[in-house]
Amino acid sequence: MTQTAQLRTSLSAKRAPQLVGTAVGHALEWYDWGIYAIFVPFFATQFFPQADQLSAVLSSLAVFAVGFVARPVGGFVFGRLADRIGRRTAMSATVATIAAASFAIGVSPTYTVIGAWASVILVAARVVQGLACGGELPSAQTYLSEIAPAGKRGFWSSLIYIASVFGNTVGVLLGVVLTLTLSSSAMHAFGWRIPFLLGGVFGLVAVYMRRKMPETEAFTRHGRERTRLWPELLRHRGEALRVVGLSVGFTVVYYSWVVAAPAYAISSLHVSSSGALWAGVASSVVLMAAMPFWGRLSDRIGRKPVLLVSALGSAAALYPVQWLVRDDAWQLFAGMVVAAVFISAGVAILPAVYAEMFPTGIRAVGLAVPYSIAVAAFGGTAPYLQTWIGAELGRSAYTGYVVLLLLVSGLVIARMPETRGKDLT
C-alpha cells in the first residue's frame, strides 16, 4: 500500500465515527419530527375532540406549525452553545431533548382521559422539540462541513439530508408495518404511540455516539476566540438574509413533497394508507440515491448551477406533478420521484453553502437564527396550508404558492457569490 493510500485509509477510519454519529443523530431529529406528520391521521382525535375528523387533523397540523415557532429561539440558544462551547456538546444536547419530547408524546394521556390537558401536553412537547430542532441542523451541518475536505465539501454535505430522509423513511416504514399488522381501531387506540416511544429509545443511542465524537479542528483553532456576537451578526446581515431567501423555497417544497405528501394523500386524496406510505418509502430511496451525485457535481462545477437546477427545475415540475397525482398510490410514487430528482439537488449541498457563508465564531448561530425563522414561517405552515388551501381553494392554488417561493429562492441564488472550495476560517 502506498503512503498516500495509507493516509487516506487512516483518515477514513478517523472520520467514520464522526460521520456515523452525525448521521444517526440527525436521522433521529427527522424521524421524531417526521412521524408527527406521518401519524397525524391516527392520533389527531386522541388529543382533540373527535366530533369532526377534519377539524382534529387541522388542529394537529396547527400544533405541527407551533413547534416551528420555537425553532428560532432554539436556533439562537443551541447555535450560540455550538459556537461558544463546541459543536459536539450542542449536538448531544439537541438529540437528547428531541428524544425526550418524543417519548413524552408517546406516553401522554388522551383527550377522553384528561380533556384539554392532552392538547396542552402535545403543544408543550412540540415546543420543546422545536427548540432542540432549531439547533440540531445548524450544529450538525456546521460540524460536518468543518471536518470535510474543502474539495469534497459538497459531496460530504449530502450526508446531512441523506440522514434526514433516512430518518423520515424509517418513520414511514414503521407506519407501513403498523398499518399492515394492526387494525384501524388499534392504530387509533395505541398503534400511533409506538413510533414516539421508539424515538425516545433511539435518542439514547444517538447521545452515546455523539458524546464520543471529537471536536472539529476549525472550532478548536478559532471557535474559542472571543467573538463579539451582535457586531458580527450585524456585519453578516447580508448572509443572514441570503439564508432566509435560499431556505423559503427549498423548505416548503421539501416539506410538501418529501415529508407531508403521504399523509396529505391519505387524508385529502383518499389514497390507501399502506399504498401512500410505500410510495413515500420508494421515492425516498430515489431521493437519497440522487443526493451524492449532486453533491459531487457541485464540487466540480460550483454550488450556484446545482442550486439553480433544483429551484427552477422544481418550480417547472410541480404543476405537471400535481396533475399526475390523483387517487392512486402509483401516481403518488411517480409524482414524488419527479419532485425528488430536483429537490435532491438543492438539499444535498445546502449544508455546505450555508457553512461557507459565515466565519467559525458565528457559523452555527449565524445560520441557525435566520434559517429557523424561515423554516418556522414557511416549513412549519406547509402541511397545514397544503391541507387547508387544497380543501378551500384547490390544489393548484397551493402549488402556485410553492412555485412562487421557489422563484424567490432562484432569484437569491442568481445573485449570490460562488463559494465552492472556500476555506472555512
Side-chain angles (χ1 to χ4, degrees):
M1 183 182 290
T2 66
Q3 199 169 29
T4 301
Q6 288 177 334
L7 178 61
R8 287 177 178 172
T9 301
S10 176
L11 286 173
S12 298
K14 178 183 177 182
R15 298 303 190 199
Q18 296 172 282
L19 296 176
V20 173
T22 303
V24 169
H26 199 62
L28 172 70
E29 178 206 354
W30 282 86
Y31 168 84
D32 281 334
W33 197 255
I35 56 175
Y36 187 98
I38 293 166
F39 286 89
V40 156
F42 303 110
F43 71 76
T45 54
Q46 303 301 308
F47 289 94
F48 297 97
Q50 301 182 17
D52 186 342
Q53 174 73 24
L54 178 60
S55 176
V57 169
L58 288 174
S59 296
S60 299
L61 292 177
V63 175
F64 184 81
V66 167
F68 280 85
V69 175
R71 281 192 172 221
V73 178
F76 179 82
V77 172
F78 288 103
R80 186 59 173 160
L81 179 67
D83 286 332
R84 292 294 297 147
I85 307 300
R87 318 311 192 195
R88 182 188 64 179
T89 300
M91 292 165 65
S92 299
T94 56
V95 294
T97 305
I98 291 167
S102 178
F103 189 81
I105 295 174
V107 298
S108 173
T110 64
Y111 187 90
T112 57
V113 176
I114 59 172
W117 284 108
S119 306
V120 172
I121 292 172
L122 181 66
V123 171
R126 289 298 289 181
V127 168
V128 170
Q129 205 167 53
L131 288 169
C133 289
E136 163 60 22
L137 179 63
S139 300
Q141 65 185 30
T142 295
Y143 184 91
L144 185 62
S145 296
E146 287 182 348
I147 68 172
K152 296 182 179 180
R153 191 176 297 126
F155 177 65
W156 280 41
S157 78
S158 65
L159 177 65
I160 289 291
Y161 275 93
I162 290 175
S164 300
V165 177
F166 178 78
N168 188 66
T169 303
V170 170
V172 175
L173 277 172
L174 186 56
V176 171
V177 172
L178 290 174
T179 54
L180 289 176
T181 57
L182 297 177
S183 66
S184 177
S185 60
M187 281 296 299
H188 284 81
F190 67 88
W192 64 268
R193 294 183 183 274
I194 296 172
F196 290 101
L197 296 175
L198 287 176
V201 176
F202 295 156
L204 296 176
V205 177
V207 171
Y208 174 79
M209 297 180 69
R210 285 190 166 181
R211 290 300 300 168
K212 290 186 169 294
M213 292 162 50
E215 190 52 79
T216 70
E217 294 179 8
F219 178 80
T220 302
R221 288 197 311 268
H222 304 290
R224 299 188 189 278
E225 298 173 0
R226 190 68 178 176
T227 300
R228 299 178 63 197
L229 177 62
W230 297 111
E232 279 297 295
L233 289 177
L234 184 61
R235 189 162 71 89
H236 290 87
R237 60 187 180 278
E239 287 82 355
L241 290 173
R242 191 177 301 138
V243 169
V244 174
L246 275 174
S247 301
V248 293
F250 291 116
T251 294
V252 171
V253 75
Y254 184 86
Y255 273 95
S256 300
W257 282 99
V258 177
V259 177
Y264 175 78
I266 293 169
S267 61
S268 297
L269 302 182
H270 308 297
V271 176
S272 68
S273 297
S274 59
L277 293 174
W278 273 120
V281 169
S283 63
S284 292
V285 172
V286 175
L287 183 67
M288 288 186 285
M291 281 192 275
F293 164 78
W294 291 114
R296 191 178 294 277
L297 184 64
S298 79
D299 287 327
R300 294 179 178 176
I301 68 173
R303 314 293 189 220
K304 289 180 64 174
V306 174
L307 288 174
L308 284 172
V309 166
S310 183
L312 301 183
S314 296
L318 285 188
Y319 273 109
V321 164
Q322 176 201 296
W323 175 85
L324 174 63
V325 179
R326 298 182 183 275
D327 56 2
D328 285 328
W330 75 265
Q331 297 168 340
L332 178 65
F333 166 71
M336 290 183 72
V337 165
V338 173
V341 171
F342 292 105
I343 292 170
S344 63
V347 298
I349 66 171
L350 278 176
V353 173
Y354 291 142
E356 290 161 352
M357 290 183 184
F358 299 97
T360 301
I362 61 164
R363 182 162 294 128
V365 74
L367 162 64
V369 175
Y371 176 81
S372 297
I373 290 173
V375 172
F378 296 93
T381 57
Y384 182 93
L385 290 177
Q386 188 176 29
T387 301
W388 181 75
I389 293 177
E392 296 295 325
L393 302 176
R395 295 167 62 196
S396 294
Y398 180 77
T399 298
Y401 166 73
V402 180
V403 168
L404 177 61
L405 293 179
L406 284 167
L407 294 178
V408 169
S409 293
L411 180 61
V412 172
I413 295 165
R415 297 173 62 86
M416 65 182 283
E418 179 58 62
T419 57
R420 173 174 61 98
K422 180 180 178 181
D423 289 330
L424 300 184
T425 57

